[in-house]
Tab-separated table of all heavy atoms in Angstrom:
chain	number	residue	atom	x	y	z
S	177	ALA	N	144.958	137.839	22.772
S	177	ALA	CA	145.332	137.300	21.415
S	177	ALA	C	144.080	136.869	20.668
S	177	ALA	O	143.975	137.205	19.409
S	177	ALA	CB	146.229	136.134	21.597
S	178	PHE	N	143.191	136.173	21.299
S	178	PHE	CA	142.000	135.659	20.583
S	178	PHE	C	141.051	136.817	20.187
S	178	PHE	O	140.350	136.702	19.175
S	178	PHE	CB	141.168	134.720	21.481
S	178	PHE	CG	141.923	133.451	21.809
S	178	PHE	CD1	141.516	132.629	22.906
S	178	PHE	CD2	142.970	132.990	21.066
S	178	PHE	CE1	142.187	131.459	23.202
S	178	PHE	CE2	143.682	131.810	21.339
S	178	PHE	CZ	143.251	131.032	22.431
S	179	ALA	N	140.986	137.869	21.001
S	179	ALA	CA	140.044	138.951	20.747
S	179	ALA	C	140.312	139.658	19.468
S	179	ALA	O	139.393	140.220	18.901
S	179	ALA	CB	140.030	139.924	21.906
S	180	VAL	N	141.520	139.592	18.990
S	180	VAL	CA	141.870	140.222	17.724
S	180	VAL	C	141.132	139.579	16.566
S	180	VAL	O	140.573	140.212	15.647
S	180	VAL	CB	143.425	140.129	17.450
S	180	VAL	CG1	143.745	140.692	16.060
S	180	VAL	CG2	144.151	140.869	18.528
S	181	PHE	N	140.973	138.211	16.672
S	181	PHE	CA	140.292	137.474	15.547
S	181	PHE	C	138.812	137.372	15.758
S	181	PHE	O	138.036	137.432	14.865
S	181	PHE	CB	140.941	136.074	15.468
S	181	PHE	CG	142.402	136.110	15.328
S	181	PHE	CD1	143.301	135.879	16.401
S	181	PHE	CD2	142.942	136.397	14.040
S	181	PHE	CE1	144.662	135.911	16.208
S	181	PHE	CE2	144.322	136.416	13.888
S	181	PHE	CZ	145.166	136.154	14.969
S	182	TRP	N	138.414	137.194	17.056
S	182	TRP	CA	136.975	136.932	17.347
S	182	TRP	C	136.209	138.238	17.451
S	182	TRP	O	135.068	138.358	16.914
S	182	TRP	CB	136.826	136.071	18.596
S	182	TRP	CG	135.440	135.531	18.772
S	182	TRP	CD1	134.359	135.806	18.031
S	182	TRP	CD2	135.053	134.520	19.735
S	182	TRP	NE1	133.255	135.046	18.467
S	182	TRP	CE2	133.702	134.253	19.533
S	182	TRP	CE3	135.728	133.866	20.766
S	182	TRP	CZ2	132.977	133.367	20.288
S	182	TRP	CZ3	135.027	132.921	21.496
S	182	TRP	CH2	133.683	132.739	21.261
S	183	LEU	N	136.695	139.203	18.216
S	183	LEU	CA	135.976	140.447	18.487
S	183	LEU	C	136.441	141.545	17.523
S	183	LEU	O	135.881	142.660	17.619
S	183	LEU	CB	136.176	140.855	19.907
S	183	LEU	CG	135.736	139.885	21.009
S	183	LEU	CD1	135.958	140.444	22.376
S	183	LEU	CD2	134.291	139.476	20.827
S	184	GLY	N	137.447	141.334	16.709
S	184	GLY	CA	137.891	142.338	15.825
S	184	GLY	C	138.549	143.502	16.468
S	184	GLY	O	138.555	144.588	15.928
S	185	GLU	N	139.167	143.251	17.664
S	185	GLU	CA	139.831	144.329	18.357
S	185	GLU	C	141.137	144.674	17.727
S	185	GLU	O	141.900	143.789	17.305
S	185	GLU	CB	139.990	143.997	19.855
S	185	GLU	CG	138.695	143.831	20.623
S	185	GLU	CD	138.908	143.363	22.069
S	185	GLU	OE1	140.061	143.215	22.472
S	185	GLU	OE2	137.925	143.096	22.690
S	186	LYS	N	141.500	145.925	17.708
S	186	LYS	CA	142.775	146.345	17.213
S	186	LYS	C	143.888	146.125	18.245
S	186	LYS	O	143.606	146.159	19.457
S	186	LYS	CB	142.775	147.841	16.823
S	186	LYS	CG	141.796	148.149	15.682
S	186	LYS	CD	141.841	149.620	15.303
S	186	LYS	CE	140.890	149.891	14.168
S	186	LYS	NZ	140.845	151.325	13.782
S	187	ILE	N	145.097	145.855	17.782
S	187	ILE	CA	146.199	145.560	18.702
S	187	ILE	C	147.434	146.394	18.263
S	187	ILE	O	147.694	146.551	17.080
S	187	ILE	CB	146.504	144.031	18.666
S	187	ILE	CG1	147.470	143.701	19.735
S	187	ILE	CG2	146.992	143.598	17.311
S	187	ILE	CD1	147.611	142.218	20.004
S	188	ASP	N	148.060	146.973	19.300
S	188	ASP	CA	149.280	147.789	18.976
S	188	ASP	C	150.476	147.055	19.419
S	188	ASP	O	150.473	145.923	19.982
S	188	ASP	CB	149.137	149.101	19.665
S	188	ASP	CG	148.812	149.019	21.137
S	188	ASP	OD1	149.061	147.953	21.738
S	188	ASP	OD2	148.273	149.983	21.696
S	189	LYS	N	151.669	147.650	19.216
S	189	LYS	CA	152.940	146.993	19.524
S	189	LYS	C	153.122	146.688	20.981
S	189	LYS	O	153.552	145.640	21.325
S	189	LYS	CB	154.113	147.864	18.956
S	189	LYS	CG	154.168	147.832	17.451
S	189	LYS	CD	155.344	148.652	16.987
S	189	LYS	CE	155.429	148.657	15.410
S	189	LYS	NZ	156.551	149.430	14.901
S	190	PRO	N	152.778	147.629	21.896
S	190	PRO	CA	152.907	147.285	23.307
S	190	PRO	C	152.110	146.063	23.750
S	190	PRO	O	152.602	145.253	24.519
S	190	PRO	CB	152.434	148.589	24.034
S	190	PRO	CG	152.671	149.646	23.115
S	190	PRO	CD	152.360	149.032	21.750
S	191	ARG	N	150.873	145.912	23.189
S	191	ARG	CA	150.091	144.787	23.515
S	191	ARG	C	150.726	143.494	22.942
S	191	ARG	O	150.694	142.449	23.537
S	191	ARG	CB	148.651	144.956	23.066
S	191	ARG	CG	147.842	145.956	23.842
S	191	ARG	CD	146.398	145.864	23.496
S	191	ARG	NE	145.687	147.045	23.949
S	191	ARG	CZ	144.394	147.231	23.782
S	191	ARG	NH1	143.710	146.366	23.093
S	191	ARG	NH2	143.822	148.343	24.235
S	192	ILE	N	151.165	143.618	21.686
S	192	ILE	CA	151.857	142.481	21.083
S	192	ILE	C	153.018	141.998	21.936
S	192	ILE	O	153.231	140.768	22.126
S	192	ILE	CB	152.293	142.780	19.648
S	192	ILE	CG1	151.098	143.030	18.752
S	192	ILE	CG2	153.159	141.683	19.087
S	192	ILE	CD1	151.442	143.533	17.347
S	193	LEU	N	153.781	142.935	22.458
S	193	LEU	CA	154.909	142.586	23.276
S	193	LEU	C	154.447	141.952	24.570
S	193	LEU	O	155.062	140.926	24.983
S	193	LEU	CB	155.717	143.869	23.623
S	193	LEU	CG	156.951	143.741	24.541
S	193	LEU	CD1	157.967	142.722	23.871
S	193	LEU	CD2	157.591	145.062	24.823
S	194	ALA	N	153.461	142.534	25.210
S	194	ALA	CA	152.929	141.917	26.427
S	194	ALA	C	152.427	140.463	26.231
S	194	ALA	O	152.644	139.575	27.032
S	194	ALA	CB	151.859	142.777	27.045
S	195	ILE	N	151.693	140.305	25.144
S	195	ILE	CA	151.145	138.968	24.798
S	195	ILE	C	152.341	138.033	24.555
S	195	ILE	O	152.356	136.876	25.050
S	195	ILE	CB	150.261	139.006	23.547
S	195	ILE	CG1	148.978	139.780	23.861
S	195	ILE	CG2	149.942	137.621	23.046
S	195	ILE	CD1	148.177	140.098	22.639
S	196	GLY	N	153.353	138.446	23.839
S	196	GLY	CA	154.511	137.605	23.609
S	196	GLY	C	155.225	137.175	24.902
S	196	GLY	O	155.579	136.062	25.082
S	197	VAL	N	155.367	138.176	25.806
S	197	VAL	CA	156.025	137.866	27.080
S	197	VAL	C	155.167	136.890	27.849
S	197	VAL	O	155.675	135.963	28.504
S	197	VAL	CB	156.207	139.198	27.938
S	197	VAL	CG1	156.595	138.882	29.324
S	197	VAL	CG2	157.178	140.130	27.247
S	198	GLY	N	153.826	137.064	27.806
S	198	GLY	CA	152.955	136.125	28.504
S	198	GLY	C	153.127	134.684	27.989
S	198	GLY	O	153.165	133.735	28.773
S	199	PHE	N	153.172	134.535	26.628
S	199	PHE	CA	153.377	133.191	26.133
S	199	PHE	C	154.723	132.579	26.487
S	199	PHE	O	154.806	131.361	26.730
S	199	PHE	CB	153.208	133.224	24.613
S	199	PHE	CG	151.818	133.212	24.113
S	199	PHE	CD1	151.226	134.275	23.426
S	199	PHE	CD2	150.983	132.086	24.363
S	199	PHE	CE1	149.886	134.248	23.000
S	199	PHE	CE2	149.671	132.043	23.891
S	199	PHE	CZ	149.131	133.135	23.257
S	200	VAL	N	155.718	133.475	26.595
S	200	VAL	CA	157.038	132.973	27.062
S	200	VAL	C	156.901	132.434	28.520
S	200	VAL	O	157.426	131.405	28.831
S	200	VAL	CB	158.101	134.120	27.010
S	200	VAL	CG1	159.350	133.733	27.790
S	200	VAL	CG2	158.413	134.454	25.585
S	201	GLY	N	156.137	133.159	29.332
S	201	GLY	CA	155.908	132.703	30.710
S	201	GLY	C	155.232	131.323	30.719
S	201	GLY	O	155.575	130.487	31.541
S	202	VAL	N	154.255	131.112	29.874
S	202	VAL	CA	153.573	129.801	29.770
S	202	VAL	C	154.604	128.729	29.364
S	202	VAL	O	154.576	127.638	29.966
S	202	VAL	CB	152.423	129.875	28.748
S	202	VAL	CG1	151.823	128.457	28.559
S	202	VAL	CG2	151.314	130.818	29.202
S	203	LEU	N	155.457	129.045	28.397
S	203	LEU	CA	156.463	128.042	28.001
S	203	LEU	C	157.453	127.732	29.122
S	203	LEU	O	157.865	126.594	29.310
S	203	LEU	CB	157.197	128.570	26.768
S	203	LEU	CG	156.397	128.624	25.452
S	203	LEU	CD1	157.187	129.276	24.380
S	203	LEU	CD2	155.960	127.218	25.057
S	204	ILE	N	157.784	128.782	29.865
S	204	ILE	CA	158.685	128.548	30.994
S	204	ILE	C	158.063	127.618	32.066
S	204	ILE	O	158.714	126.704	32.516
S	204	ILE	CB	159.070	129.891	31.667
S	204	ILE	CG1	159.989	130.739	30.714
S	204	ILE	CG2	159.784	129.681	32.987
S	204	ILE	CD1	160.227	132.118	31.218
S	205	ALA	N	156.780	127.885	32.341
S	205	ALA	CA	156.101	127.052	33.321
S	205	ALA	C	155.849	125.651	32.799
S	205	ALA	O	155.985	124.625	33.515
S	205	ALA	CB	154.754	127.702	33.731
S	206	LEU	N	155.498	125.466	31.540
S	206	LEU	CA	155.208	124.160	30.935
S	206	LEU	C	156.445	123.436	30.612
S	206	LEU	O	156.484	122.181	30.760
S	206	LEU	CB	154.416	124.405	29.662
S	206	LEU	CG	153.808	123.160	28.996
S	206	LEU	CD1	152.885	122.425	29.911
S	206	LEU	CD2	153.101	123.517	27.668
S	207	ARG	N	157.560	124.134	30.231
S	207	ARG	CA	158.803	123.524	29.896
S	207	ARG	C	158.596	122.278	28.958
S	207	ARG	O	158.885	121.136	29.281
S	207	ARG	CB	159.565	123.033	31.142
S	207	ARG	CG	159.879	124.092	32.151
S	207	ARG	CD	160.754	123.675	33.316
S	207	ARG	NE	160.164	122.544	33.994
S	207	ARG	CZ	159.145	122.638	34.878
S	207	ARG	NH1	158.591	123.761	35.120
S	207	ARG	NH2	158.723	121.528	35.483
S	208	PRO	N	158.050	122.576	27.734
S	208	PRO	CA	157.672	121.457	26.863
S	208	PRO	C	158.862	120.684	26.361
S	208	PRO	O	159.811	121.222	25.735
S	208	PRO	CB	156.979	122.197	25.726
S	208	PRO	CG	157.500	123.569	25.705
S	208	PRO	CD	157.766	123.877	27.189
S	209	SER	N	158.895	119.433	26.660
S	209	SER	CA	159.902	118.468	26.144
S	209	SER	C	159.372	117.088	26.392
S	209	SER	O	158.519	116.891	27.243
S	209	SER	CB	161.264	118.696	26.873
S	209	SER	OG	161.215	118.177	28.175
S	210	PRO	N	159.858	116.086	25.653
S	210	PRO	CA	159.352	114.694	25.922
S	210	PRO	C	159.553	114.274	27.382
S	210	PRO	O	158.815	113.427	27.867
S	210	PRO	CB	160.217	113.894	24.961
S	210	PRO	CG	160.616	114.854	23.883
S	210	PRO	CD	160.758	116.210	24.586
S	211	ALA	N	160.517	114.852	28.093
S	211	ALA	CA	160.819	114.423	29.438
S	211	ALA	C	159.939	115.144	30.485
S	211	ALA	O	159.736	114.563	31.565
S	211	ALA	CB	162.278	114.649	29.736
S	212	THR	N	159.492	116.336	30.166
S	212	THR	CA	158.808	117.075	31.231
S	212	THR	C	157.282	117.250	31.041
S	212	THR	O	156.532	117.411	31.966
S	212	THR	CB	159.402	118.518	31.322
S	212	THR	OG1	159.240	119.161	30.039
S	212	THR	CG2	160.881	118.437	31.682
S	213	ILE	N	156.833	117.221	29.693
S	213	ILE	CA	155.398	117.441	29.468
S	213	ILE	C	154.584	116.274	29.935
S	213	ILE	O	155.024	115.103	29.906
S	213	ILE	CB	155.176	117.728	27.981
S	213	ILE	CG1	153.939	118.563	27.844
S	213	ILE	CG2	155.097	116.478	27.156
S	213	ILE	CD1	153.815	119.269	26.510
S	214	SER	N	153.332	116.542	30.401
S	214	SER	CA	152.540	115.488	30.914
S	214	SER	C	151.070	115.715	30.565
S	214	SER	O	150.701	116.875	30.230
S	214	SER	CB	152.631	115.358	32.485
S	214	SER	OG	152.116	116.547	33.094
S	215	TRP	N	150.273	114.634	30.590
S	215	TRP	CA	148.873	114.794	30.268
S	215	TRP	C	148.142	115.727	31.204
S	215	TRP	O	147.321	116.558	30.798
S	215	TRP	CB	148.165	113.455	30.209
S	215	TRP	CG	148.410	112.653	28.955
S	215	TRP	CD1	149.183	111.543	28.789
S	215	TRP	CD2	147.923	113.060	27.646
S	215	TRP	NE1	149.188	111.206	27.470
S	215	TRP	CE2	148.394	112.080	26.748
S	215	TRP	CE3	147.088	114.076	27.202
S	215	TRP	CZ2	148.122	112.144	25.375
S	215	TRP	CZ3	146.819	114.104	25.824
S	215	TRP	CH2	147.301	113.169	24.937
S	216	PRO	N	148.366	115.688	32.527
S	216	PRO	CA	147.709	116.635	33.432
S	216	PRO	C	148.070	118.045	33.079
S	216	PRO	O	147.188	118.958	33.141
S	216	PRO	CB	148.293	116.236	34.796
S	216	PRO	CG	148.608	114.837	34.684
S	216	PRO	CD	149.139	114.646	33.335
Side-chain angles (χ1 to χ4, degrees):
F178 294 162
V180 175
F181 304 101
W182 195 351
L183 301 182
E185 293 175 6
K186 295 181 180 180
I187 189 168
D188 51 22
K189 289 182 179 180
R191 288 190 195 180
I192 292 174
L193 178 60
I195 291 169
V197 170
F199 277 116
V200 169
V202 174
L203 291 174
I204 292 173
L206 187 60
R207 301 186 305 284
S209 74
T212 59
I213 205 163
S214 65
W215 280 110

